[in-house]
């Protein structure tokens, strides 16, 4: 999904505006006393015990931006970020001239209300007055006034408790070549904390409130300041909060409210956004395991290899959404039935970009639906191109550039942006395709979590 996780930053995103209310002043206590009280509150709600005290600090918005820049530079050098940008540009998900490096910093800086960092054990809240409400700024919904600063603290303390009980550093949330798996795992982590925070804040109104807030996250809602950023970046950032919360609610409902079922999921991690979007594909009766795909015959392509990753069902939906192919329902349907994918991005000496995308589907009908939708996308992307179609293969030619889309059974392979010579290697790519079912998500030693 081409995400840029900043280290292993576990944050609460602002996605509902604070509404000032007149309320009596609260008793002032020290931050240490307040943290201890909230640790007890979180444990009583979630059932996770703390093995050590958590130190809470604060950042101004400027300090947060400086921190984010430092973390991004350390974890994702500019060259790496530029490779990601090229992938996003190839799929039409961001403008070609976008400064992705600065955009990520600004998007996170405008969205984060607080964070917990498993590597450093930092828990930081953004200071009141810097975009996060203070004790006199509450959100009122369904007759309940909630202090969002308190909800943020509960959310982040849940992450601290997760870390102390499940060792978040060993979860594969920093893998750089399978964003779909990363997002699935993040959805459990963030969904857990989001549900805990909302249950703390809204008590018996949780069901009604959570549906509204969860939908806002699903829509990529991060407030007016963040609305200027590309939809793809916003929606992949908010996915673990909205869809992740729904997934955790499903876990709880199946366990009749027993939080130990959520804890058990940390030992049986979801492995795809497909499982998050469609919980029955995680719960069974037979789990729908994704396929790890690889094309081992691409070494003959003379263009320079730049990047490779996995879109997953959600990422595939967003690619289709960007070109407004068919209806929203039709695009969702075309992405459903996903069983695995991997894409490879290449660049020639003139800076031209091309991609190879190999996908596999649950059934031939699922593959056909995606094939038909992507054929429309390529026609829109390469407007004015000459089209040749034969059975389950479409070739578009525009000047010296070609796009080839071919389906074989439940698999679909796309060569997009190369010249005739490189596009002609599609048969060799088919013969070198490999599939391996991902039946278990392994934990990763922190030092190897790259």
């Amino acid at each position: 999904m081409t995400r840029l996780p900043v280290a292993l930053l576990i944050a609460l995103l602002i996605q509902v505006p604070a509404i000032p209310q007149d309320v009596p002043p609260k008793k002032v206590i020290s931050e240490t006393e307040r943290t201890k009280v909230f640790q007890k509150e979180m444990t009583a709600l979630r059932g996770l015990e703390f093995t050590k005290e958590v130190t809470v600090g604060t950042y101004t918005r400027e300090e947060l931006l400086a921190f984010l820049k430092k973390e991004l530079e350390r974890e994702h050098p500019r060259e790496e970020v530029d490779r990601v940008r090229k992938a996003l540009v190839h799929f039409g998900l961001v403008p070609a001239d976008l400064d992705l490096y600065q955009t990520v910093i600004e998007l996170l800086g405008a969205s984060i209300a607080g964070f917990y960092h498993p590597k450093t054990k930092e828990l930081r809240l953004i200071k009141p007055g810097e975009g996060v409400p203070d004790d006199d700024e509450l959100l009122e919904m369904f007759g309940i006034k909630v202090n969002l600063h308190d909800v943020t603290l509960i959310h982040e303390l849940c992450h601290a408790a997760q870390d102390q009980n499940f060792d978040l550093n060993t979860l594969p949330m920093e893998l750089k070549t399978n964003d779909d798996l990363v997002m699935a795992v993040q959805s459990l982590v963030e969904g857990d904390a989001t549900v805990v925070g909302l249950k703390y804040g809204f008590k018996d109104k949780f069901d009604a409130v959570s549906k509204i807030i969860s939908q806002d996250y699903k829509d990529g809602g991060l407030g007016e300041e963040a609305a200027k950023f590309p939809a793809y970046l916003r929606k992949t950032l908010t996915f673990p909060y909205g869809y992740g919360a729904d997934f955790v609610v499903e876990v709880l409902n199946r366990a009749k409210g027993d939080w130990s079922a959520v804890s058990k999921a940390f030992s049986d991690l979801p492995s795809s956004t497909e499982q998050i979007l469609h919980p029955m594909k995680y719960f069974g009766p037979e789990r729908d395991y994704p396929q790890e795909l690889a094309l081992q015959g691409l070494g003959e392509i003379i263009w320079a290899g730049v990047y490779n990753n996995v879109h997953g069902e959600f990422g595939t939906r967003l690619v289709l959404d960007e070109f407004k192919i068919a209806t929203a329902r039709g695009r969702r349907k075309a992405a459903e039935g996903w069983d695995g994918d991997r894409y490879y991005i290449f660049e020639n000496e003139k800076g031209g970009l091309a991609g190879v995308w190999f996908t596999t589907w649950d059934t031939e009908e699922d593959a056909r639906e995606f094939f038909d939708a992507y054929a429309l996308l390529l026609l829109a992307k390469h407007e004015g191109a000459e089209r040749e179609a034969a059975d389950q293969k479409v070739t578009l030619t525009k000047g010296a550039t070609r796009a080839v889309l071919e389906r074989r059974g439940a698999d679909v392979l796309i060569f997009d942006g190369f010249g005739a010579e490189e596009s002609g290697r599609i048969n060799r790519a088919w013969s070198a395709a490999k599939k391996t079912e991902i039946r278990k998500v392994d934990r990763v030693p922190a030092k190897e979590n790259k």
Side-chain angles (χ1 to χ4, degrees):
M1 208 143 311
T2 317
R3 291 170 58 75
L4 283 173
V6 180
L8 199 55
L9 203 60
I10 308 298
L12 176 63
L13 306 180
I14 305 168
Q15 47 61 256
V16 285
I19 303 175
Q21 306 286 337
D22 293 326
V23 294
K26 297 177 68 174
K27 179 182 178 181
V28 177
I29 62 175
S30 71
E31 196 63 49
T32 299
E33 292 175 314
R34 181 170 178 266
T35 299
K36 288 181 179 180
V37 170
F38 274 72
Q39 281 187 231
K40 291 179 181 178
E41 294 273 6
M42 204 292 301
T43 296
L45 175 58
R46 175 62 176 82
L48 289 179
E49 297 286 347
F50 288 90
T51 59
K52 61 184 71 173
E53 294 296 324
V54 181
T55 301
V56 177
T58 57
Y59 274 170
T60 64
R61 187 65 56 184
E62 289 73 22
E63 288 171 331
L64 173 65
L65 289 170
F67 169 81
L68 291 171
K69 183 177 180 180
K70 181 179 178 182
E71 286 296 285
L72 189 59
E73 288 174 346
R74 182 170 66 85
E75 295 292 326
H76 300 278
R78 285 185 178 271
E79 323 76 85
E80 179 182 312
V81 175
D82 193 53
R83 289 195 292 271
V84 175
R85 182 192 64 81
K86 290 172 181 176
L88 295 179
V89 169
H90 169 74
F91 284 105
L93 295 167
V94 302
D97 60 353
L98 181 77
D99 184 342
L100 183 60
Y101 197 89
Q102 186 60 33
T103 297
V104 168
I105 293 173
E106 292 179 3
L107 175 58
L108 291 172
S111 307
I112 291 176
F115 69 86
Y116 173 75
H117 197 327
K119 288 184 177 178
T120 64
K121 313 307 177 188
E122 289 182 82
L123 195 162
R124 295 287 183 268
L125 303 177
I126 308 310
K127 284 184 179 180
E130 298 291 335
V132 173
D134 61 20
D135 286 344
D136 294 325
E137 291 177 296
L138 306 184
L139 174 70
E140 182 172 8
M141 296 180 71
F142 295 94
I144 297 180
K145 296 177 180 179
V146 175
N147 186 309
L148 297 186
H149 202 56
D150 291 350
V151 171
T152 301
L153 180 54
I154 287 289
H155 181 109
E156 300 310 330
L157 284 172
C158 181
H159 286 318
Q162 290 171 341
D163 190 26
Q164 292 180 18
N165 285 270
F166 310 129
D167 193 358
L168 296 180
N169 284 316
T170 66
L171 298 185
M173 292 193 290
E174 291 187 281
L175 296 175
K176 296 181 180 181
T177 57
N178 192 336
D179 286 339
D180 185 58
L181 188 153
V182 168
M183 185 171 290
V185 175
Q186 286 180 330
S187 295
L188 172 61
V189 175
E190 290 296 357
D192 182 6
T194 298
V195 171
V196 168
L198 294 178
K199 279 185 174 289
Y200 169 81
F202 291 98
K203 310 293 190 294
D204 62 340
K205 301 295 185 182
F206 167 80
D207 288 342
V209 171
S210 66
K211 286 181 174 63
I212 295 173
I213 293 179
S214 179
Q215 186 59 53
D216 200 18
Y217 278 131
K218 292 176 187 178
D219 294 337
L222 288 169
E224 293 182 6
E225 188 178 348
K228 64 182 180 181
F229 298 107
Y232 178 86
L233 297 180
R234 289 185 286 106
K235 289 184 177 181
T236 53
L237 180 61
T238 57
F239 180 95
Y241 299 84
Y243 291 100
D246 285 357
F247 179 81
V248 169
V249 167
E250 181 67 19
V251 174
L252 284 171
N253 288 342
R254 287 172 170 272
K256 295 181 170 46
D258 184 354
W259 279 96
S260 67
V262 179
S263 296
K264 289 178 182 176
F266 280 83
S267 298
D268 187 16
L269 298 165
S271 55
S272 67
T273 57
E274 179 186 50
Q275 292 177 357
I276 301 298
L277 290 164
H278 313 283
M280 279 302 295
K281 297 200 172 190
Y282 173 84
F283 292 108
E286 290 187 9
R287 185 172 297 185
D288 190 340
Y289 295 103
Q291 301 278 349
E292 172 68 32
L293 304 187
L295 292 176
Q296 299 179 347
L298 299 180
E300 297 176 351
I301 292 178
I302 60 175
W303 291 40
V306 173
Y307 188 74
N308 77 90
N309 214 309
V310 177
H311 277 308
E313 179 180 332
F314 187 63
T316 298
R317 181 198 298 182
L318 293 182
V319 170
L320 296 174
D321 283 346
E322 196 66 35
F323 286 84
K324 301 296 186 290
I325 299 305
T327 63
R329 182 178 181 278
R331 295 192 295 270
R332 286 196 301 271
K333 196 169 186 299
E336 290 175 358
W338 174 95
D339 200 38
D341 80 90
R342 183 162 292 279
Y343 64 83
Y344 301 80
I345 303 300
F346 296 85
E347 183 176 28
N348 64 17
E349 66 279 359
K350 296 181 180 179
L353 297 173
V356 178
W357 189 11
F358 181 38
T359 69
T360 190
W361 302 83
D362 290 337
T363 67
E364 287 195 25
E365 180 58 30
D366 293 322
R368 187 177 294 109
E369 289 175 350
F370 171 73
F371 176 92
D372 291 343
Y374 210 77
L376 293 175
L377 184 152
L378 288 174
L379 280 171
K381 182 179 179 180
H382 302 287
E383 186 178 3
E386 295 182 10
R387 180 177 181 272
E388 296 178 35
D391 193 19
Q392 289 299 300
K393 185 173 182 178
V394 173
T395 301
L396 300 177
T397 304
K398 188 174 184 179
T401 301
R402 279 189 182 176
V404 182
L405 169 69
E406 185 174 8
R407 182 181 73 84
R408 296 186 183 182
D411 300 335
V412 178
L413 180 57
I414 303 155
F415 272 52
D416 181 15
F418 294 106
E421 180 180 353
E422 300 303 324
S423 299
R425 301 180 189 276
I426 191 168
N427 286 331
R428 297 182 187 180
W430 275 115
S431 65
K434 303 294 181 183
K435 301 180 185 178
T436 306
E437 195 172 61
I438 304 175
R439 298 190 66 85
K440 186 177 185 299
V441 178
D442 294 324
R443 291 204 167 235
V444 182
K447 64 180 180 180
E448 297 177 13
N449 198 6
K450 297 180 180 179

